[in-house]
Coordinates of all heavy atoms in Angstrom, one line a residue:
D217 N -19.9 -6.6 -14.7 CA -18.6 -6.6 -15.4 C -17.7 -5.9 -14.5 O -17.5 -4.7 -14.4 CB -18.7 -5.8 -16.8 CG -17.2 -5.7 -17.4 OD1 -16.3 -6.4 -16.8 OD2 -17.0 -4.8 -18.2
P218 N -17.0 -6.7 -13.6 CA -16.0 -6.2 -12.6 C -14.7 -5.9 -13.3 O -13.8 -5.3 -12.7 CB -15.8 -7.2 -11.5 CG -16.2 -8.5 -12.2 CD -17.0 -8.2 -13.3
N219 N -14.4 -6.3 -14.5 CA -13.2 -6.2 -15.3 C -12.0 -6.6 -14.6 O -11.0 -6.0 -14.5 CB -13.1 -4.6 -15.6 CG -11.9 -4.3 -16.6 OD1 -11.7 -5.0 -17.5 ND2 -11.1 -3.2 -16.4
G220 N -12.2 -7.9 -14.0 CA -11.1 -8.4 -13.3 C -10.8 -7.8 -11.9 O -9.8 -8.3 -11.3
G221 N -11.7 -6.8 -11.5 CA -11.3 -6.2 -10.3 C -12.0 -6.8 -9.0 O -12.5 -8.0 -9.2
A222 N -11.9 -6.3 -7.9 CA -12.3 -6.8 -6.6 C -13.8 -7.2 -6.5 O -14.2 -8.1 -5.9 CB -11.9 -5.9 -5.5
G223 N -14.6 -6.4 -7.3 CA -16.0 -6.7 -7.3 C -16.4 -8.1 -7.7 O -17.5 -8.7 -7.4
G224 N -15.5 -8.7 -8.5 CA -15.7 -10.1 -8.9 C -15.7 -11.2 -7.8 O -16.3 -12.2 -8.0
V225 N -15.1 -10.9 -6.7 CA -15.0 -11.7 -5.6 C -16.4 -11.9 -4.9 O -16.5 -12.9 -4.1 CB -13.9 -11.5 -4.7 CG1 -12.5 -11.4 -5.4 CG2 -14.1 -10.3 -3.8
I226 N -17.2 -11.0 -5.0 CA -18.4 -10.9 -4.2 C -19.7 -10.8 -5.0 O -20.8 -11.3 -4.4 CB -18.4 -9.8 -3.2 CG1 -19.5 -9.9 -2.1 CG2 -18.5 -8.5 -3.9 CD1 -19.3 -11.1 -1.2
A227 N -19.6 -10.5 -6.1 CA -20.8 -10.2 -7.0 C -21.7 -11.5 -7.2 O -23.0 -11.4 -7.0 CB -20.5 -9.6 -8.4
D228 N -21.1 -12.6 -7.5 CA -21.8 -13.9 -7.7 C -22.6 -14.3 -6.4 O -23.8 -14.7 -6.4 CB -21.0 -15.0 -8.2 CG -21.9 -16.2 -8.6 OD1 -22.8 -16.1 -9.4 OD2 -21.4 -17.2 -8.2
K229 N -21.9 -14.2 -5.3 CA -22.4 -14.6 -4.0 C -23.6 -13.8 -3.6 O -24.6 -14.2 -3.1 CB -21.3 -14.5 -2.9 CG -21.7 -15.1 -1.5 CD -20.6 -14.8 -0.5 CE -20.7 -15.6 0.8 NZ -20.6 -17.0 0.7
L230 N -23.5 -12.4 -3.8 CA -24.6 -11.5 -3.4 C -25.8 -11.8 -4.4 O -26.9 -11.8 -3.9 CB -24.0 -10.1 -3.8 CG -25.0 -9.0 -3.5 CD1 -25.5 -8.9 -2.1 CD2 -24.3 -7.6 -3.8
C231 N -25.6 -12.0 -5.7 CA -26.7 -12.2 -6.6 C -27.4 -13.6 -6.2 O -28.7 -13.6 -6.2 CB -26.2 -12.3 -8.0 SG -25.8 -10.7 -8.7
K232 N -26.6 -14.4 -5.9 CA -27.3 -15.9 -5.4 C -28.2 -15.6 -4.2 O -29.3 -16.3 -4.2 CB -26.3 -16.9 -5.1 CG -25.6 -17.4 -6.6 CD -24.5 -18.4 -6.2 CE -24.0 -19.1 -7.6 NZ -22.8 -20.0 -7.3
R233 N -27.7 -14.9 -3.3 CA -28.5 -14.6 -2.0 C -29.8 -13.8 -2.4 O -30.8 -14.0 -1.6 CB -27.6 -13.9 -1.1 CG -26.5 -14.7 -0.3 CD -27.2 -15.8 0.5 NE -28.0 -15.3 1.6 CZ -27.6 -14.9 2.8 NH1 -26.4 -15.0 3.1 NH2 -28.5 -14.4 3.6
L234 N -29.7 -13.2 -3.4 CA -30.9 -12.4 -3.8 C -31.9 -13.0 -4.9 O -32.9 -12.6 -5.2 CB -30.5 -11.0 -4.4 CG -29.9 -10.0 -3.4 CD1 -29.2 -8.8 -4.2 CD2 -30.9 -9.4 -2.5
G235 N -31.3 -14.2 -5.2 CA -32.1 -14.9 -6.2 C -32.1 -14.4 -7.6 O -33.1 -14.5 -8.3
V236 N -31.0 -13.5 -7.9 CA -30.8 -12.8 -9.1 C -29.9 -13.7 -10.0 O -28.8 -14.1 -9.6 CB -30.3 -11.4 -8.8 CG1 -29.9 -10.8 -10.3 CG2 -31.2 -10.6 -8.1
K237 N -30.3 -13.9 -11.2 CA -29.3 -14.5 -12.1 C -28.3 -13.5 -12.6 O -28.6 -12.5 -13.2 CB -30.1 -15.2 -13.4 CG -29.3 -15.9 -14.3 CD -30.1 -16.5 -15.5 CE -29.1 -17.4 -16.3 NZ -29.8 -18.0 -17.4
M238 N -27.2 -13.9 -12.6 CA -26.0 -13.0 -12.9 C -25.3 -13.5 -14.2 O -24.9 -14.6 -14.2 CB -24.9 -12.8 -11.7 CG -24.0 -11.8 -12.1 SD -22.6 -11.7 -10.8 CE -21.5 -13.0 -11.6
V239 N -25.2 -12.6 -15.2 CA -24.4 -12.9 -16.3 C -22.9 -12.2 -16.1 O -22.9 -11.0 -16.0 CB -25.0 -12.3 -17.6 CG1 -24.0 -12.6 -18.8 CG2 -26.3 -12.9 -17.8
G240 N -22.0 -13.0 -15.8 CA -20.7 -12.4 -15.5 C -19.8 -12.2 -16.7 O -19.8 -13.1 -17.5
V241 N -19.2 -11.0 -16.8 CA -18.3 -10.6 -17.8 C -16.9 -10.2 -17.2 O -16.9 -9.4 -16.4 CB -18.9 -9.5 -18.7 CG1 -17.9 -9.1 -19.8 CG2 -20.2 -10.0 -19.4
N242 N -15.9 -10.7 -17.7 CA -14.5 -10.4 -17.2 C -14.4 -10.6 -15.8 O -14.0 -9.7 -15.0 CB -14.2 -8.8 -17.6 CG -14.2 -8.6 -19.0 OD1 -13.9 -9.4 -19.9 ND2 -14.6 -7.3 -19.4
M243 N -14.7 -11.8 -15.4 CA -14.7 -12.3 -13.9 C -13.5 -12.6 -13.4 O -13.2 -12.8 -12.2 CB -15.8 -13.2 -13.8 CG -17.2 -12.9 -14.0 SD -17.8 -11.6 -12.9 CE -17.9 -12.5 -11.4
R244 N -12.4 -13.0 -14.2 CA -11.2 -13.5 -13.8 C -10.4 -12.5 -13.1 O -10.0 -11.4 -13.6 CB -10.4 -14.0 -14.9 CG -9.1 -14.8 -14.4 CD -8.3 -15.6 -15.6 NE -9.1 -16.7 -16.0 CZ -8.8 -17.6 -16.9 NH1 -7.7 -17.4 -17.5 NH2 -9.6 -18.6 -17.2
P245 N -10.0 -12.6 -11.7 CA -9.3 -11.6 -11.0 C -7.9 -11.2 -11.7 O -7.1 -11.9 -12.2 CB -9.0 -12.3 -9.7 CG -10.1 -13.3 -9.5 CD -10.4 -13.8 -11.0
G246 N -7.7 -9.8 -11.8 CA -6.4 -9.4 -12.3 C -6.4 -9.3 -13.9 O -5.3 -8.9 -14.5
Q247 N -7.4 -9.9 -14.5 CA -7.4 -9.7 -15.9 C -8.2 -8.6 -16.4 O -9.4 -8.7 -16.4 CB -8.0 -11.1 -16.5 CG -7.1 -12.4 -16.2 CD -5.8 -12.4 -16.9 OE1 -5.7 -12.2 -18.1 NE2 -4.7 -12.7 -16.3
F248 N -7.6 -7.5 -16.9 CA -8.2 -6.3 -17.2 C -8.5 -6.3 -18.7 O -7.5 -6.0 -19.5 CB -7.5 -5.1 -16.7 CG -7.2 -5.1 -15.2 CD1 -5.9 -5.4 -14.7 CD2 -8.1 -4.9 -14.3 CE1 -5.5 -5.5 -13.4 CE2 -7.9 -5.1 -12.9 CZ -6.5 -5.4 -12.4
K249 N -9.7 -6.3 -19.2 CA -10.1 -6.4 -20.6 C -10.4 -5.0 -21.2 O -10.5 -4.8 -22.3 CB -11.2 -7.4 -20.8 CG -10.9 -8.7 -20.4 CD -9.8 -9.4 -21.1 CE -9.5 -10.8 -20.7 NZ -8.5 -11.5 -21.6
R250 N -10.6 -4.0 -20.4 CA -10.9 -2.7 -20.7 C -10.3 -1.7 -19.9 O -9.5 -1.9 -18.9 CB -12.4 -2.4 -20.8 CG -13.1 -2.5 -19.3 CD -14.5 -2.1 -19.2 NE -15.2 -2.6 -18.1 CZ -15.1 -2.0 -16.9 NH1 -14.3 -1.1 -16.6 NH2 -15.8 -2.5 -15.8
L251 N -10.4 -0.4 -20.2 CA -9.9 0.6 -19.3 C -10.6 0.5 -17.9 O -11.8 0.1 -17.9 CB -10.1 2.0 -19.8 CG -9.3 2.4 -21.2 CD1 -9.7 3.8 -21.6 CD2 -7.8 2.3 -20.9
V252 N -9.9 0.7 -16.8 CA -10.5 0.6 -15.6 C -11.7 1.4 -15.2 O -12.8 0.9 -14.6 CB -9.4 0.7 -14.5 CG1 -9.9 0.6 -13.1 CG2 -8.3 -0.3 -14.7
V253 N -11.7 2.6 -15.5 CA -12.9 3.5 -15.3 C -14.0 3.2 -16.0 O -13.9 3.1 -17.2 CB -12.4 5.1 -15.4 CG1 -12.1 5.4 -16.9 CG2 -13.5 6.0 -14.9
P254 N -15.2 3.0 -15.4 CA -16.3 2.6 -16.1 C -17.1 3.8 -16.6 O -17.5 4.7 -15.8 CB -17.2 1.9 -15.1 CG -16.7 2.4 -13.8 CD -15.4 2.9 -13.9
N255 N -17.4 4.0 -17.8 CA -18.1 5.1 -18.3 C -18.7 4.6 -19.8 O -18.6 3.5 -20.2 CB -17.2 6.4 -18.7 CG -16.0 6.0 -19.5 OD1 -16.1 5.4 -20.5 ND2 -14.8 6.8 -19.2
K256 N -19.4 5.6 -20.3 CA -20.1 5.4 -21.6 C -19.2 4.8 -22.7 O -19.7 3.8 -23.4 CB -20.7 6.7 -22.2 CG -21.5 6.5 -23.4 CD -22.1 7.9 -23.8 CE -23.0 7.7 -25.1 NZ -23.6 9.0 -25.4

Side-chain angles (χ1 to χ4, degrees):
D217 174 15
N219 190 34
V225 305
I226 191 65
D228 187 52
K229 187 181 186 76
L230 177 60
C231 285
K232 283 178 178 175
R233 285 294 301 274
L234 291 167
V236 173
K237 184 176 181 180
M238 188 190 87
V239 178
V241 177
N242 299 331
M243 296 296 290
R244 184 173 292 182
Q247 297 292 313
F248 306 106
K249 301 293 186 179
R250 58 166 166 84
L251 294 178
V252 174
V253 63
N255 57 36
K256 183 178 180 180

